[in-house]
Amino acid sequence: MDNAIRSKSNPIMRPIDITPSIPGMEIECLLNPGVFQFENKKWLLLRVAERPVQEPGKISFPIFNAEGFVEVLSFNEDDQDLDASDARIIKYKGKDYLTTLSHLRLVCSDDGEKFYEPEGYKPIIGKGILESFGIEDCRVATRADGFHLTYTMVSPYAVAVGYIFTKDWKSIERKGMMFPPHNKDCALFEESINGKYYALHRPSSPELGGNYIWIAESPDGLHWGNHKLLATTRKGMWDSARLGAGAAPIRTEKGWLEIYHGATEEHRYCLGLLLLDLDDPSIVVARSNKPIMEPIAKYEQEGFFGNVVFTNGHIVDGDKVSMYYGASDEVICKADFSIAELLKTLEN
Amino acid sequence: MDNAIRSKSNPIMRPIDITPSIPGMEIECLLNPGVFQFENKKWLLLRVAERPVQEPGKISFPIFNAEGFVEVLSFNEDDQDLDASDARIIKYKGKDYLTTLSHLRLVCSDDGEKFYEPEGYKPIIGKGILESFGIEDCRVATRADGFHLTYTMVSPYAVAVGYIFTKDWKSIERKGMMFPPHNKDCALFEESINGKYYALHRPSSPELGGNYIWIAESPDGLHWGNHKLLATTRKGMWDSARLGAGAAPIRTEKGWLEIYHGATEEHRYCLGLLLLDLDDPSIVVARSNKPIMEPIAKYEQEGFFGNVVFTNGHIVDGDKVSMYYGASDEVICKADFSIAELLKTLEN
């Protein structure tokens, strides 16, 4: 048992519920949506991972070419130079490719459980050489001036954090790379603290260091500095190999409450809590020893990449957090938490 | 033959020329100085790498402890858990340590070749948990308001870029972490372009990507964004495995001229050129196919870590660049270049 109250409708969205972005592609996975409210509806910004319909004996995967069009690379399954042992990555002649190409898709809902694709909204697709392997895991921070999107830019050159701003979801403003590689899991705070923007982010080190959560500050949301280490991995625990922020921290009277993911060396992904000082969020007030949510439902244990619960979006209504999450890197689910109960798990 | 006119006095400084910072330590290496002019003298900000005087049968190395004091860790040479096969890194039970601890030391000179330690100036020493393995390879950018130091912060948690400001070298102002891990080789431009600060930097990726030079911009020198990829490694060439900026780019009529280092998989370090657009330095106008300088002198081929020429400091006087560099990660050397001749190497 954990602290999550899972929706009885889980999974609330599956790959079959969405149409591929172009003919000849199939949707392998729906992943980790950004979440927001807009025009009296609840919205998800889904990560949609597609690949070409596979032919027998072949392994095919998509990339954006220099002109911005999807191009399919295809190899024989028994090619000696091919290593397809990981469901997510293909290695060919020492180079890494992704098995799927991700873009972002908008769906909306009246009740927060039955989502549909509304007319008149375009998907958000990778653009330029730094997004030629797609864009992934977009957080949506709702601030007074509009929606601030932070997402993972993926290419052969870098895995890094991109930034998009929109007011109306009809036109978007691309604001470039916010954090240089290797970086992902960037969650913006939805209000300024002492006049500064804050962001949680997750740089990774090839040597000396690891996959830790850091915090940075900014005068304008575009330029970032004064990076501080917030939380490291913990040997032998549920967050021993890597951890990263989820959605925007939630303001509570005890501090900023952040639901984050942690994973073990075996790639088992759970969720836990960080509580940050209200006035100076670089100070960690408390941290979960045990996860608040573990992959225990069948749809969380079996799928494209099993034993994963991963979140980067929620809606807060009073004491209730309605959290949307990716399960087994394949389907979208929903679970509710009580903020009071979450805070209680952090006592001691 | 290369384009460098080496000083006949090379090496101009050796470890024996400097006294250890505390008793019981010995200086292993002098490395990669930042360079500036101040009070009618030429100054180097040396990286000084120290380790405990080694006892027979033991391997000892220093770290800063949480209280900011140097603590010595010591192991038996034949300890099965110890891997000391790299001169720079010790692995013990899966953890990485450095064989030496680096700090920064000021020396000055009238003629630019005979340097001495002046009285009244303190070394710059690592501070806090993010510098517990020391500080390294400091660039000094001279701007109208004073001296801007960008250096490598090293700890078990991160390799990243730190920022210090000083006007008088007597008191320094620590301005925190400028670029998050994994990052080093940060060179600030010495003047603003269209009202913006610019910096070259070198993030590294554990997957998808490499050790490439990027450029970022800032409104204030403290907060950075809009990161763009400037130059990648080139297979089969002298900069096939990694590359990184040297000192501040030099303004020429053809563009910003940057002397950068590149290394092969065999860790042979050479120097080459990037020429960047004067008005928009994220545009590469030209790049060296062949190095302008290679490790060909004996002191560049043999030492603590041989086959290395590495620079992050110079003084420009008209057409002449007086470049200071680390040779074989052990001694400090000087070489001159003609800017006109360097620009000529970039013509096809």
Side-chain angles (χ1 to χ4, degrees):
Chain A
M1 278 297 294
D2 55 28
N3 302 86
I5 302 156
R6 289 164 175 79
S7 166
K8 293 206 169 62
S9 309
N10 277 351
I12 60 167
M13 291 199 85
R14 301 165 188 270
I16 202 169
D17 298 329
I18 296 284
T19 49
S21 66
I22 48 172
M25 299 286 268
E26 60 188 357
I27 294 175
E28 277 293 294
C29 326
L30 299 183
L31 300 106
N32 321 330
V35 182
F36 58 98
Q37 300 188 77
F38 178 58
E39 293 186 339
N40 296 316
K41 290 190 195 307
K42 297 178 166 73
W43 295 68
L44 306 182
L45 185 60
L46 302 170
R47 172 180 162 200
V48 177
E50 298 177 313
R51 65 172 186 171
V53 177
Q54 300 291 299
E55 289 172 54
K58 296 264 186 190
I59 289 195
S60 307
F61 52 89
I63 61 164
F64 283 115
N65 65 20
E67 289 75 41
F69 296 106
V70 171
E71 194 176 306
V72 171
L73 303 182
S74 191
F75 298 96
N76 283 323
E77 215 170 46
D78 54 6
D79 191 321
Q80 294 294 314
D81 292 320
L82 191 76
D83 174 1
S85 56
D86 187 318
R88 301 164 302 179
I89 296 164
I90 287 172
K91 289 180 189 292
Y92 188 76
K93 291 191 174 175
K95 275 197 180 173
D96 288 343
Y97 298 92
L98 304 187
T99 52
T100 60
L101 191 61
S102 291
H103 67 274
L104 306 176
R105 195 85 70 91
L106 285 165
V107 293
C108 65
S109 169
D110 292 310
D111 66 358
E113 299 218 334
K114 281 186 288 297
F115 284 87
Y116 62 93
E117 284 193 78
E119 301 223 345
Y121 293 88
K122 282 185 291 193
I124 303 178
I125 310 264
K127 190 175 178 183
I129 63 155
L130 293 178
E131 297 178 355
S132 61
F133 283 3
I135 56 179
E136 304 182 353
D137 296 347
C138 187
R139 278 80 175 161
V140 178
T142 305
R143 292 180 61 108
D145 59 345
F147 303 97
H148 298 253
L149 283 59
T150 52
Y151 61 95
T152 311
M153 314 169 91
V154 189
S155 74
Y157 307 107
V159 172
V161 177
Y163 182 19
I164 285 174
F165 176 75
T166 185
K167 278 178 185 294
D168 60 6
W169 296 97
K170 301 263 180 179
S171 68
I172 62 167
E173 199 182 331
R174 291 179 194 264
K175 289 177 167 276
M177 187 181 286
M178 178 186 283
F179 293 119
H182 184 281
N183 207 316
K184 48 167 64 175
D185 299 327
C186 172
L188 294 176
F189 286 63
E190 292 184 324
E191 52 187 291
S192 294
I193 303 165
N194 299 321
K196 289 177 195 159
Y197 288 72
Y198 280 90
L200 307 176
H201 62 108
R202 209 289 295 281
S204 290
S205 275
E207 60 189 12
L208 289 175
N211 303 297
Y212 308 147
I213 298 178
W214 292 66
I215 189 166
E217 55 185 57
S218 169
D220 55 13
L222 281 172
H223 305 91
W224 295 86
N226 203 14
H227 300 271
K228 290 180 181 169
L229 177 59
L230 208 61
T232 61
T233 46
R234 296 179 295 185
K235 217 173 171 175
M237 292 180 69
W238 58 277
D239 49 6
S240 59
R242 77 192 67 88
L243 64 165
I250 301 163
R251 180 189 265 286
T252 76
E253 56 183 22
K254 304 276 186 186
W256 295 100
L257 188 65
E258 175 65 16
I259 301 175
Y260 75 94
H261 67 267
T264 60
E265 285 75 7
E266 295 74 35
H267 308 297
R268 183 174 190 263
Y269 279 76
C270 296
L271 302 178
L273 300 171
L274 281 171
L275 188 65
L276 310 176
D277 185 86
L278 276 182
D279 197 51
D280 178 357
S282 74
I283 298 169
V284 176
V285 177
R287 181 174 174 186
S288 295
N289 285 319
K290 289 197 296 184
I292 59 162
M293 187 172 185
E294 303 188 58
I296 51 180
K298 188 159 187 252
Y299 49 83
E300 295 163 353
Q301 293 182 331
E302 295 172 17
F304 184 77
F305 197 86
N307 284 314
V308 172
V309 290
F310 187 106
T311 186
N312 49 245
H314 55 229
I315 289 168
V316 179
D317 184 11
D319 180 60
K320 189 169 85 169
V321 182
S322 295
M323 186 190 80
Y324 295 85
Y325 66 102
S328 294
D329 276 7
E330 182 169 326
V331 293
I332 305 299
C333 297
K334 176 174 175 267
D336 293 338
F337 294 95
S338 150
I339 293 176
E341 277 181 33
L342 290 181
L343 289 172
K344 222 178 283 170
T345 68
L346 291 172
E347 289 168 12
N348 269 336
Chain B
M1 277 298 291
D2 55 30
N3 302 85
I5 303 156
R6 287 164 176 79
S7 166
K8 293 204 169 62
S9 310
N10 278 349
I12 59 167
M13 292 200 84
R14 302 165 189 269
I16 202 169
D17 299 328
I18 296 284
T19 49
S21 65
I22 49 173
M25 299 285 268
E26 61 188 358
I27 294 175
E28 278 293 296
C29 326
L30 299 183
L31 302 105
N32 321 330
V35 181
F36 58 98
Q37 299 189 78
F38 177 58
E39 293 186 340
N40 296 317
K41 291 192 194 307
K42 296 177 167 73
W43 295 67
L44 306 182
L45 184 60
L46 301 171
R47 171 181 162 198
V48 177
E50 297 177 312
R51 65 171 185 172
V53 176
Q54 300 291 299
E55 290 170 53
K58 297 263 185 191
I59 289 196
S60 308
F61 52 90
I63 61 164
F64 283 117
N65 65 20
E67 290 75 42
F69 295 106
V70 171
E71 192 177 307
V72 171
L73 303 183
S74 190
F75 298 96
N76 284 322
E77 215 169 49
D78 54 5
D79 191 321
Q80 295 294 314
D81 292 320
L82 191 77
D83 174 1
S85 56
D86 187 318
R88 302 164 301 179
I89 295 165
I90 286 172
K91 288 178 190 292
Y92 187 75
K93 291 192 173 174
K95 274 196 181 175
D96 289 343
Y97 298 92
L98 304 187
T99 52
T100 60
L101 191 61
S102 291
H103 67 274
L104 306 176
R105 196 83 71 90
L106 285 165
V107 294
C108 65
S109 169
D110 292 310
D111 66 358
E113 300 218 334
K114 281 186 287 297
F115 284 87
Y116 61 94
E117 283 193 78
E119 301 223 347
Y121 294 89
K122 283 185 291 194
I124 302 177
I125 310 263
K127 191 175 177 183
I129 62 155
L130 294 178
E131 297 177 356
S132 61
F133 282 4
I135 56 179
E136 305 181 354
D137 296 348
C138 188
R139 278 80 176 163
V140 178
T142 305
R143 292 180 60 108
D145 60 345
F147 303 97
H148 298 254
L149 284 59
T150 52
Y151 61 96
T152 310
M153 313 169 92
V154 189
S155 74
Y157 307 106
V159 172
V161 177
Y163 182 20
I164 285 175
F165 176 75
T166 185
K167 276 179 187 294
D168 60 7
W169 296 98
K170 301 262 179 179
S171 69
I172 62 167
E173 197 182 332
R174 292 180 193 264
K175 289 176 168 275
M177 188 181 283
M178 178 186 281
F179 293 120
H182 184 278
N183 208 316
K184 49 167 62 174
D185 299 327
C186 172
L188 293 176
F189 285 63
E190 292 184 323
E191 51 187 290
S192 295
I193 303 164
N194 300 320
K196 289 178 196 158
Y197 288 71
Y198 281 89
L200 307 176
H201 61 109
R202 208 288 296 278
S204 290
S205 275
E207 59 189 11
L208 289 174
N211 303 298
Y212 309 147
I213 298 179
W214 292 66
I215 189 165
E217 56 184 57
S218 169
D220 55 14
L222 281 172
H223 305 91
W224 296 85
N226 202 14
H227 301 270
K228 290 179 181 170
L229 178 59
L230 208 63
T232 62
T233 47
R234 296 178 294 186
K235 217 173 171 174
M237 293 180 68
W238 58 277
D239 48 8
S240 58
R242 77 192 67 88
L243 64 165
I250 301 162
R251 179 189 265 285
T252 76
E253 56 183 22
K254 304 275 186 187
W256 296 100
L257 188 65
E258 174 65 16
I259 301 175
Y260 75 94
H261 67 267
T264 60
E265 285 74 7
E266 294 76 34
H267 308 294
R268 184 174 190 264
Y269 280 75
C270 296
L271 302 178
L273 301 171
L274 281 171
L275 188 65
L276 309 177
D277 186 85
L278 275 183
D279 196 51
D280 177 359
S282 73
I283 298 169
V284 177
V285 177
R287 181 174 174 184
S288 295
N289 286 320
K290 291 198 294 185
I292 59 162
M293 186 171 186
E294 304 188 57
I296 51 180
K298 188 157 186 254
Y299 48 84
E300 296 162 353
Q301 292 181 331
E302 294 172 18
F304 184 78
F305 197 87
N307 284 314
V308 172
V309 290
F310 187 105
T311 186
N312 48 246
H314 55 229
I315 289 169
V316 179
D317 183 12
D319 179 60
K320 189 170 86 169
V321 182
S322 295
M323 186 190 79
Y324 295 85
Y325 66 102
S328 295
D329 276 4
E330 182 169 326
V331 294
I332 305 299
C333 297
K334 177 175 175 265
D336 293 338
F337 294 95
S338 150
I339 292 176
E341 278 182 31
L342 290 181
L343 289 173
K344 221 178 281 169
T345 68
L346 291 172
E347 291 167 11
N348 262 332

